[in-house]
Amino acid sequence: MRPPKHSAIYGLALCIIFCSHIILAQQSAPTETPQQELQRLKQAVDQAQTQVDASQQQLLELKKSLALLEQRLAAGNQAPAPAETATTPAIQPTSTTPSTETQERQAMQESQIATLNQIKVESESKYPVKISGLILLNGFVNTSQVDNASAPTIAVAGGGSTGASLRQTVLGIDARGPTLAGATSHANVRVDFFGTALDSSYQLGGLLRLRTAHATLNWKDTEVFAEMDRPILSPNQPTSLTAIAQPALAWSGNLWMWSPQVGVSHTMDFIGSSRVAVEGALIDVPDSPAMSSTIAGTVSQGERSRWPGAELHIGLLGKKDGHGASVGIGGYFSPHKIQGGRGYNAWAGTLDMDLPLPRGFDFSGSFYRGQALGGLGGGAYKDFVYGTNLNFAKPLDDVGGWAQLKKRATERWEFNGAFGIDSGFAKELRRYVLPTTAYQNQARNQTFTANTIYSPSTYLQFSFEFRHITTAPITGATANTNIIGVAAGYKF
């Protein structure tokens, strides 16, 4: 009996042979009687059947030869090496290694199948949506009092604290949308649980807080964006796993305040393989957290001026593959108005850089000079200084910045050391400010930090960090604190 899977081939061959014999028979003996033709046809069928049987037999023999060859190859793979056979007794092959490899292959296949079979997040628009996040546990030891125990930015005279927190956990949603006018569209949002007021107590929970959000249209060299993020004139930031709720060196030279912005960026080729990126945006800058509701009112000083702030950043980038040095300059201007009609202008000039160094080192930093920078995370927590009953107000001049040296020991292990400082002008502070809180009494804040981050896998991160904060007030003694932090994060 023929194998079922070859029956169609055999039938086709039989038909071809049979038809060929009919044609030959008709050409060679056109005047034969019907009986002679029938006999010749029977002979042709028998001959065709014999040929098909011979072909089937050949196929069966080939299958047997192939099976024997596979058995020999399998036996050769399990047999010991010739040198070992000559010097040691034959050892029966064990199943330890094949079993381990088989288990690994099965685990990998099961993981791939599970990934393909998992229920995908579905949006109403039916475009792809991805959920991501970082579950972060951070423990801390503060040797003296700080403004916020789990995420300190300034030192205050008083006793220390020790505790742990999960409030710096971050959740995110990423989405990809349709193509519009030749541009791809993307959007994302990030939230955490640090939405409560600043305090120095141990809080087990927190309110959901919007961190950043982006919506972009991307062409080949141009991007249009609407976002809530750090100002475009401060693109770099220090590395830390223990300072997530407020970025590392916040209020110590790192301009970071997340603000609504609408803008456009364009990248063009420059000399050699380098590129130049030009970004411009309108920004709604919030008031400094140190300004009370009595001073700031129900709307921000920038909104009260009825004019948005403006930003510009020009960066000389490295190679197109993302490697190489980058250096940028930025500018910022924003009209402000205090309740009662008094107005002033906030402005800043910035310089940023990211420079790869030999032996796995990298140097990065950002520096600024301006005034009324409390809404961007500078200005000693203040936009302006004032007199009794706001009878006089002057925007506070400010200077600061930060620098970091990074060492990548391996792909999974890195070391970081950074220093940052933010300083108001003493002559302005001593003359006008009437301090009522630790923030309003602040003249200069500086932070040194060193940490190591270890990532045993793509999804796990561990960190140990030491931080020293020095806060100099307008009146009173300088406060210092040492902070020891540990962090464990799971990314998904």
Side-chain angles (χ1 to χ4, degrees), residues 22-248:
I22 292 177
I23 295 172
L24 291 175
Q26 290 177 351
Q27 291 178 352
S28 60
T31 58
E32 289 180 341
T33 63
Q35 291 80 5
Q36 292 175 338
E37 290 181 3
L38 179 61
Q39 184 66 27
R40 184 171 286 103
L41 289 175
K42 288 182 179 180
Q43 293 176 355
V45 169
D46 293 340
Q47 184 178 359
Q49 181 65 44
T50 301
Q51 294 177 355
V52 170
D53 292 340
S55 299
Q56 180 182 0
Q57 185 64 30
Q58 291 177 356
L59 288 174
L60 293 175
E61 292 177 356
L62 288 174
K63 286 183 177 181
K64 291 180 181 180
S65 300
L66 181 59
L68 290 175
L69 180 59
E70 291 176 347
Q71 292 177 0
R72 291 177 182 176
L73 289 175
N77 291 335
Q78 295 180 354
E84 295 178 354
T85 305
T87 57
T88 59
I91 300 176
Q92 294 295 329
T94 61
S95 60
T96 302
T97 302
S99 176
T100 302
E101 294 176 355
T102 302
Q103 292 177 357
E104 291 178 353
R105 286 196 299 269
Q106 290 176 349
M108 181 179 66
Q109 292 172 357
E110 291 174 358
S111 175
Q112 293 174 344
I113 293 173
T115 301
L116 293 174
N117 291 336
Q118 66 179 335
I119 299 176
K120 301 295 184 181
V121 178
E122 184 177 290
S123 66
E124 186 174 353
S125 63
K126 305 302 180 183
Y127 285 97
V129 174
K130 181 177 68 175
I131 295 178
S132 60
L134 172 66
I135 307 299
L136 182 63
L137 170 66
N138 69 292
F140 52 87
V141 176
N142 304 315
T143 59
S144 65
Q145 188 174 345
V146 293
D147 57 337
N148 189 290
S150 59
T153 59
I154 67 172
V156 183
S161 56
T162 301
S165 173
L166 281 163
R167 295 173 59 205
Q168 298 193 78
T169 293
V170 179
L171 300 179
I173 300 176
D174 296 81
R176 187 172 73 247
T179 299
L180 300 174
T184 58
S185 59
H186 302 84
N188 63 68
V189 64
R190 298 290 183 269
V191 298
D192 63 16
F193 299 88
F194 220 80
T196 55
L198 294 175
D199 64 88
S200 58
S201 64
Y202 309 128
Q203 294 198 5
L204 299 179
L207 299 178
L208 199 66
R209 179 186 67 160
L210 175 65
R211 289 170 57 88
T212 62
H214 302 84
T216 62
L217 290 175
N218 299 93
W219 288 268
K220 180 181 178 182
D221 298 313
T222 305
E223 177 183 272
V224 176
F225 58 87
E227 64 184 21
M228 172 106 171
D229 206 339
R230 60 191 301 113
I232 64 173
L233 68 161
S234 181
N236 301 332
Q237 59 179 329
T239 304
S240 176
L241 193 61
T242 64
I244 300 295
Q246 297 188 87

Side-chain angles (χ1 to χ4, degrees), residues 326-399:
S326 64
V327 179
I329 57 174
Y332 155 74
F333 179 85
S334 177
H336 284 56
K337 182 176 289 188
I338 308 173
Q339 279 184 329
R342 290 179 297 275
Y344 63 92
N345 295 322
W347 62 270
T350 64
L351 170 67
D352 60 87
M353 62 193 68
D354 188 351
L355 308 175
L357 302 176
R359 299 183 179 276
F361 285 92
D362 183 272
F363 176 82
S364 59
S366 183
F367 311 93
Y368 57 86
R369 167 69 172 90
Q371 71 175 18
L373 299 182
L376 296 182
Y381 269 101
K382 293 173 285 298
D383 287 317
F384 63 91
V385 292
Y386 56 94
T388 306
N389 298 324
L390 295 179
N391 57 6
F392 184 86
K394 182 187 184 305
L396 177 64
D397 289 305
D398 187 45
V399 63

Side-chain angles (χ1 to χ4, degrees), residues 310-326:
E311 303 173 275
L312 177 66
H313 184 266
I314 302 175
L316 177 61
L317 309 180
K319 300 178 181 179
K320 293 183 178 181
D321 58 4
H323 296 84
S326 64

